[in-house]
Amino acid sequence: MSVKNHKYIFVIGGVMSGVGKGITTSAIGAILQAKGFSVNLLKVDPYLNVDAGTMNPTEHGEVFVLDSGLETDQDMGNYERFLNRSLTNCDYITSGMVYKHVIEAERALKYQGRCVEAIPQIRDEIIERLERSANVNKTEISVVEIGGTVGDYQNIMFIEAARRMKVQNPDDVLFVMVSYMPVPSKLGEMKSKPTQNAIRLLNSYGVNADIIIARSEVPMDDRRREKIANSCSVRTDHVISAPDIESVFDVPLNFEKDKMSELLMKVLRLKKKKNETGMKEWETFAKRVKSVKKIVNIAIVGKYFNTGDFVLTDAYVSVLEAIKYSAYKLGYKPKIHTVNARDFEGVNAKDSDLKKLKEFDGIIVPGGFGESGIEGKLAVIKYARENKIPYFGLCYGMQLMVIEYARNVLGLKDANTAEINPKSSAVVIDIMPEQKKLLAEGKYGASMRLGAYDASLKEGTIARDAYSSKTVTERHRHRYEVNPDFVEIIQNAGLIFSGSSPSGKLMEIAELPKNKHPFFLGTQFHPEFLARPLAPHPLFTAFIKAATKGKK
Ligand code: GLN
């Protein structure tokens, strides 16, 4: 159902990907929110996967999980972090979701004998979903990032849906193109042609940009601004220069320096609100990011780093962000080191390599799946435990911490997770019966324990102190759990389960007491998904505090 006077801002990429469409969308959300508007941010992804859950993180980056359990693109994480609030199930749309729905409706005779086609059925299903998101969020403005770049085959239906919405309500729909203006080193001049071509492509779909954000290494001069305005049919004051900057957290502030929110309000005919909050808190945060000097060295021991000749940290973006926010809060600049777990196993394993871990103030083993890299991670965890290096295990990192403890402290040398060796004599991490059934039926998509679940915390533990609360809600994404049959013997051997599901059946947090280790803690959930710039996560903060203890 269409929402009266609801405004839509569509953010479309021109020239190439990776120039900051996601950050632009997030920053637009943040500045409009600061102006007193209620805003929701959406990502529409052109691929046919129904959600992001089945995609390889090395290729596609992190799978970001919402409270509802929906597995989404990592951009959704940026949106939540910039808006400082959680988003809903309706705020993420893929072509797969749309087509699946339409095809299922066709099979159920819902179209009453009509021919079902991309236009209008697919397009209208997209429009309906955008409107549902506005309704569910009860917001005034939706900012919608269209995945991919203009000219891609895959996102045409989404652009078509946006075009149609503009035809129906011209004053309520606005297009922002985030484009790229290269400065080839041999020429030493900023070139506008690729952006002109991108706009021409967009025009061929019946859409023009209202605002062009020109991303580049350097600020844009007036000559180029006029050229873009002339050839792309926009006013010069609708061309915004967005040069590379030191910190992405400055993006909303720079937009405001350029009076971007006023421009958006003018084009969308929005009146100034009385409940403006301004960006004071954000400004203080952004300033702090640039002023912290003392370094804290944190290692992430993972395996989804290498793609071709490049090393990317995209698979762990929320973990990286979570570390940063807590470090900034405590006055530290985090230096994050990516360490490949496979370097510590098989023929690669050398004691001297493990000793190098001493250089780090803290070690994180993040989430993961499958066998490769786990013996390396186990070696790292053992080293961190024995050498009292602060250790934080996230999901797989917690399960492996329990396995390491069972093997090396309890002496259950064969201890393992059912994910790797279900025939082990000590399956300390096991699959739950409901999960077993799903796997036997070949149902892999969206079938894990996903989304927000409560945990109760034990008095007198690191976790309880960090949260200063008896219960917490955290987001999950895993199939395996600590085997209830081993809980007692593990606890008797000294590893405490300081958080569990309210029923007491599922173990949520494991830790060593403070007098045994400065910080040796793992969570079955993913705390990184709820870490926000203006609200750092308490467990990350406790970890960084332990990592920086006694540092000068
Ligand atoms: N592979 C483990 C499981 O499925 C951990 C998952 C994760 O780290 N997200 O339970």
Side-chain angles (χ1 to χ4, degrees):
M1 199 193 51
S2 101
V3 198
K4 219 167 166 301
N5 297 328
H6 187 85
K7 306 291 184 183
Y8 294 91
I9 298 173
F10 288 95
V11 180
I12 302 176
V15 181
M16 64 182 201
S17 66
V19 293
K21 205 157 37 98
I23 294 295
T24 300
T25 306
S26 309
I28 289 178
I31 58 174
L32 290 171
Q33 197 167 263
K35 286 277 169 190
F37 295 99
S38 57
V39 184
N40 67 300
L41 302 179
L42 291 101
K43 175 86 194 274
V44 295
D45 262 330
Y47 46 69
L48 287 176
N49 302 60
V50 173
D51 57 43
T54 54
M55 276 184 278
N56 178 347
T58 314
E59 299 301 324
H60 193 78
E62 171 186 87
V63 177
F64 189 81
V65 181
L66 304 182
D67 278 342
S68 66
L70 187 67
E71 297 167 281
T72 73
D73 182 87
Q74 62 184 39
D75 277 320
M76 294 293 284
N78 281 327
Y79 301 172
E80 289 198 347
R81 292 188 276 265
F82 275 68
L83 285 186
N84 199 15
R85 76 170 176 90
S86 299
L87 290 166
T88 76
N89 226 7
C90 304
D91 302 326
Y92 182 66
I93 305 173
T94 69
S95 295
M97 271 178 205
V98 173
Y99 278 86
K100 185 167 179 272
H101 179 88
V102 170
I103 291 169
E104 279 169 4
E106 183 276 325
R107 292 289 81 187
L109 259 183
K110 296 258 170 67
Y111 297 104
Q112 294 153 343
R114 265 172 292 149
C115 176
V116 180
E117 300 189 83
I119 297 175
Q121 279 81 10
I122 294 293
R123 178 194 67 195
D124 291 354
E125 176 61 25
I126 294 169
I127 296 176
E128 211 172 300
R129 282 173 187 256
L130 293 172
E131 290 175 347
R132 194 180 311 148
S133 160
N135 272 318
V136 166
N137 282 286
K138 296 193 176 55
T139 45
E140 295 156 289
I141 307 171
S142 297
V143 189
V144 187
E145 176 185 353
I146 299 187
T149 309
V150 63
D152 291 350
Y153 244 38
Q154 294 90 323
N155 60 16
I156 287 179
M157 274 307 126
F158 291 111
I159 302 178
E160 165 58 16
R163 183 199 65 79
R164 175 84 181 152
M165 289 167 84
K166 176 121 181 158
V167 169
Q168 283 169 329
N169 295 301
D171 294 342
D172 294 342
V173 177
L174 178 155
F175 290 96
V176 175
M177 177 179 269
V178 182
S179 196
Y180 179 60
M181 308 268 287
V183 187
S185 56
K186 288 248 159 51
L187 302 180
E189 180 199 357
M190 183 185 278
K191 302 305 282 179
S192 68
K193 190 69 79 198
T195 297
Q196 295 182 41
N197 287 337
I199 288 287
R200 207 156 291 145
L201 257 172
L202 186 64
N203 291 163
S204 72
Y205 302 147
V207 172
N208 197 25
D210 298 284
I211 294 171
I212 297 174
I213 296 184
R215 286 277 301 112
S216 190
E217 287 87 32
V218 293
M220 184 168 37
D221 60 351
D222 286 344
R223 278 276 284 283
R224 283 352 88 158
R225 192 187 300 270
E226 268 155 35
K227 205 164 183 180
I228 290 283
N230 270 331
S231 56
C232 301
S233 339
V234 290
R235 291 169 45 143
T236 38
D237 60 336
H238 287 211
V239 182
I240 310 274
S241 166
D244 285 350
I245 42 175
E246 191 188 325
S247 149
V248 292
F249 305 115
D250 283 338
V251 175
L253 303 171
N254 284 355
F255 277 176
E256 275 317 67
K257 269 189 213 141
D258 285 339
K259 300 202 173 6
M260 174 88 110
S261 60
E262 278 175 31
L263 178 60
L264 295 166
M265 285 162 64
K266 187 188 76 183
V267 182
L268 288 170
R269 294 162 208 248
L270 286 163
K271 286 206 188 69
K272 207 171 150 57
K273 304 270 275 189
K274 289 206 182 74
N275 56 336
E276 268 187 42
T277 55
M279 300 217 70
K280 266 271 151 298
E281 229 189 324
W282 190 272
E283 257 164 46
T284 312
F285 166 76
K287 217 185 250 162
R288 176 165 270 250
V289 170
K290 288 185 289 185
S291 68
V292 288
K293 296 265 166 350
K294 288 180 289 181
I295 303 283
V296 55
N297 286 291
I298 303 295
I300 299 188
V301 183
K303 67 165 179 176
Y304 304 121
F305 292 124
N306 301 323
T307 110
D309 289 343
F310 299 93
V311 176
L312 294 181
T313 50
D314 263 23
Y316 305 110
V317 42
S318 292
V319 179
L320 265 73
E321 292 302 305
I323 295 168
K324 290 182 199 166
Y325 308 150
S326 290
Y328 298 148
K329 180 179 166 153
L330 297 171
Y332 283 86
K333 189 186 179 89
K335 199 158 168 206
I336 299 171
H337 307 258
T338 55
V339 178
N340 198 327
R342 293 187 196 114
D343 293 349
F344 299 103
E345 58 189 22
V347 286
N348 300 327
K350 279 196 256 78
D351 270 1
S352 55
D353 287 338
L354 278 172
K355 285 206 182 93
K356 285 196 201 125
L357 294 170
K358 277 225 166 96
E359 289 164 21
F360 304 122
D361 300 310
I363 297 172
I364 290 183
V365 171
F369 292 85
E371 186 165 13
S372 81
I374 79 151
E375 291 304 325
K377 289 178 185 171
L378 286 165
V380 169
I381 296 170
K382 179 169 185 270
Y383 191 85
R385 181 175 55 77
E386 292 177 344
N387 292 279
K388 302 209 184 330
I389 303 173
Y391 170 80
F392 195 9
L394 311 171
C395 205
Y396 216 11
M398 178 263 206
Q399 297 175 353
L400 294 171
M401 175 181 157
V402 172
I403 294 169
E404 189 279 318
Y405 206 78
R407 283 189 189 177
N408 302 320
V409 180
L410 270 88
L412 302 170
K413 287 283 168 250
D414 193 30
N416 217 324
T417 160
E419 185 171 352
I420 309 300
N421 180 14
K423 296 207 175 71
S424 138
S425 58
V427 180
V428 292
I429 306 294
D430 203 2
I431 191 159
M432 297 287 104
E434 318 84 74
Q435 290 290 337
K436 211 175 229 168
K437 195 163 157 272
L438 290 169
L439 284 196
E441 293 165 3
K443 292 187 177 145
Y444 289 96
S447 67
M448 287 183 257
R449 181 149 86 105
L450 289 167
Y453 287 89
D454 289 345
S456 314
L457 307 179
K458 213 176 253 169
E459 195 87 52
T461 58
I462 297 178
R464 174 71 186 266
D465 287 352
Y467 281 106
S468 356
S469 160
K470 274 191 199 152
T471 53
V472 289
T473 309
E474 291 279 2
R475 294 181 186 171
H476 291 248
R477 182 172 186 253
H478 57 102
R479 187 161 273 128
Y480 299 85
E481 307 275 354
V482 174
N483 184 345
D485 296 344
F486 286 89
V487 167
E488 207 180 309
I489 63 161
I490 292 172
Q491 296 219 86
N492 288 344
L495 188 67
I496 308 301
F497 291 106
S498 51
S500 62
S501 60
S503 68
K505 197 177 137 206
L506 305 173
M507 296 306 115
E508 294 277 11
I509 308 176
E511 62 177 79
L512 275 181
K514 254 182 276 182
N515 58 4
K516 295 264 161 56
H517 195 289
F519 192 97
F520 190 72
L521 184 146
T523 60
Q524 183 56 83
F525 49 81
H526 289 272
E528 68 271 22
F529 291 146
L530 288 179
R532 311 254 164 91
L534 302 184
H537 193 284
L539 288 181
F540 276 90
T541 306
F543 166 65
I544 300 289
K545 205 175 248 171
T548 54
K549 198 164 178 201
K551 253 181 111 66
K552 280 193 208 93

